[in-house]
Amino acid sequence: MSRPQEDGIIRFGDHISLKHFTTGRYLTSNGDQYYEEGSKQQKVFTVEGSPSDESTFIVIPPQVTEEQAGYEVGFEDQIRLKHVPTRTNLHSHEIVSPVSGQQEVSCFGNDEYSDDGDLWKVLQYDEDDEQYDDFWRVNQPVVLQHVATGKLLHSHDVVLADGQNEVTGFEGRDDNDKWAVSFD
C-alpha cells in the first residue's frame, strides 16, 4: 500500500482515506452491500472509527490523460477514486439518493471499465485560506466535485442504515461538502 510521502502531497497511485469534516466519519463502501432502489449499485456511506481497508481508495488519473502514477494532484485536477477491496470506482449519476432525495453516490465499474460518472475534480474548500498551495495535501480541507453533474461529494447526519450515514451529490456548497485525507 502506498500512502502519501512525507511532504503530504497526494499523488496518483496513493492509497487514501477520506474523512468527512463535519461528522468525523470515513467514506466507505462494502462489496456485500448494494442499493435496493435507484441504481442498485454498490453502496457508499460514512462510518465512525479508524480508517480500514473498506475506507481505502486509490487516487488514479482519468482514463485519457498524460498524468501517471507518482504525479502530484493539484487543485482543479480530475481524479478517479478506486475502492481498494472491490476495485470499483467512486461514481455518481443523476439518480435520486435513497434517503435525502439528493444525488446517489455509488461504487461502480472495475479495473477494465470506467466511465465519466467516475470523474471528480479536486477543489480547495476555502480559496482565500493561505494553507493552500498548488497541490492537494493530507489533512487539507477539500471539496470533490462530480465532473459530469457538477454536484459536490456530501455527507450529513442522515442515517442510511445501522451505523452508516448517507453520502450524496449535493447542489450548492456547505460544511457538509468538506473532506480531508486522514489516517487517524
Side-chain angles (χ1 to χ4, degrees):
M1 177 159 80
S2 171
R3 289 206 171 159
Q5 297 174 17
E6 283 186 35
D7 60 11
I9 295 174
I10 309 303
R11 291 172 171 79
F12 290 110
D14 282 347
H15 290 219
I16 65 167
S17 293
L18 284 171
K19 188 174 187 177
H20 186 247
F21 255 76
T22 306
T23 63
R25 299 163 73 93
Y26 284 91
L27 185 70
T28 305
S29 191
N30 182 312
D32 296 332
Q33 297 182 31
Y34 293 83
Y35 291 113
E36 294 175 14
E37 301 295 325
S39 70
K40 300 190 188 293
Q41 294 173 357
Q42 188 175 308
K43 278 186 190 178
V44 173
F45 46 90
T46 60
V47 295
E48 286 184 327
S50 299
S52 67
D53 285 347
E54 291 182 343
S55 64
T56 302
F57 292 81
I58 306 169
V59 180
I60 58 176
Q63 288 181 299
V64 179
T65 184
E66 294 181 14
E67 302 286 358
Q68 298 178 27
Y71 284 17
E72 296 95 347
V73 178
F75 292 107
E76 303 289 329
D77 282 356
Q78 292 184 13
I79 64 168
R80 293 181 293 156
L81 292 171
K82 181 168 290 298
H83 187 237
V84 170
T86 63
R87 310 300 294 176
T88 55
N89 301 302
L90 187 69
H91 183 87
S92 194
H93 35 232
E94 292 185 3
I95 293 176
V96 174
S97 66
V99 182
S100 67
Q102 295 174 9
Q103 182 171 291
E104 182 185 272
V105 173
S106 63
C107 274
F108 177 72
N110 55 43
D111 286 333
E112 286 79 41
Y113 181 78
S114 179
D115 66 20
D116 289 344
D118 302 338
L119 291 175
W120 300 86
K121 187 186 292 187
V122 181
L123 304 173
Q124 296 175 2
Y125 179 76
D126 180 353
E127 294 178 10
D128 295 326
D129 193 324
E130 292 180 11
Q131 72 173 302
Y132 298 99
D133 57 16
D134 295 334
F135 301 111
W136 181 20
R137 295 177 186 269
V138 173
N139 295 321
Q140 272 186 332
V142 297
V143 173
L144 295 175
Q145 182 179 41
H146 190 244
V147 173
T149 65
K151 303 282 176 71
L152 305 178
L153 187 67
H154 181 91
S155 189
H156 38 217
D157 284 323
V158 175
V159 175
L160 179 63
D162 292 339
Q164 301 173 351
N165 285 9
E166 184 180 51
V167 171
T168 66
F170 181 72
E171 191 167 356
R173 197 166 183 166
D174 67 24
D175 284 345
N176 287 319
D177 307 327
K178 190 185 329 186
W179 300 85
V181 172
S182 178
F183 300 104
D184 24 90

